[in-house]
Amino acid sequence: MEIPDKILFVCTNQRDPQWGKESCGDHGSSAIAEAFRRALKMRRVEGVSLRSTASGCLGPCTQGPHAVVMPDNIWYSGFSLEDVDEIVVSHMLGGKPVVRLQSAPPLDSNVVEEV
Ligand code: FES
């Protein structure tokens, strides 16, 4: 199995409204995950392995959607479909995180250890 140079996890968790807790699915994260997949496929670069994948809850939940780029441990929150290309081009391909969309890694998350 090929290990990607970078992989972006997009939370697509959708909670039942009865739980009374916000989730990334409330912010269109499934469409965003698909947009990342398509954007990376369109911009394939020889010798660079980049992937995105939908994930379960990453921890922060509110003010989503949330995504994290590994192994950089750079988190993005509250972005939209319109921001997908910028994250792909600037960060995934160019190595420059999109500072205006970044958020701090959640302190109560153990995602880094699980990856
Ligand atoms: S529901 Fe997306 S981070 Fe928890």
Side-chain angles (χ1 to χ4, degrees):
M1 183 180 114
E2 180 188 17
I3 297 173
D5 297 310
K6 289 187 193 301
I7 183 166
L8 181 141
F9 295 89
V10 184
C11 172
T12 57
N13 186 36
Q14 179 69 66
R15 285 195 182 88
D16 187 316
Q18 290 180 337
W19 287 31
K21 186 176 179 184
E22 190 178 335
S23 61
C24 292
D26 300 335
H27 301 281
S29 60
S30 290
I32 287 171
E34 177 60 20
F36 273 117
R37 191 191 66 74
R38 274 189 269 114
L40 286 169
K41 189 175 179 181
M42 276 179 21
R43 293 185 170 81
R44 281 203 180 130
V45 175
E46 183 90 15
V48 180
S49 175
L50 303 173
R51 277 197 213 144
S52 68
T53 189
S55 81
C57 179
L58 295 170
C61 304
T62 59
Q63 299 177 329
H66 299 279
V68 59
V69 177
M70 291 299 193
D72 303 346
N73 195 25
I74 299 292
W75 290 73
Y76 293 106
S77 299
F79 55 95
S80 69
L81 266 176
E82 288 73 31
D83 300 314
V84 167
D85 277 346
E86 185 176 0
I87 292 171
V88 166
V89 172
S90 179
H91 187 171
M92 302 286 285
L93 290 166
K96 291 182 184 169
V98 183
V99 174
R100 71 179 176 84
L101 301 174
Q102 267 184 255
S103 58
L107 296 175
D108 61 347
S109 171
N110 60 0
V111 169
V112 174
E113 287 79 28
E114 290 175 2
V115 171

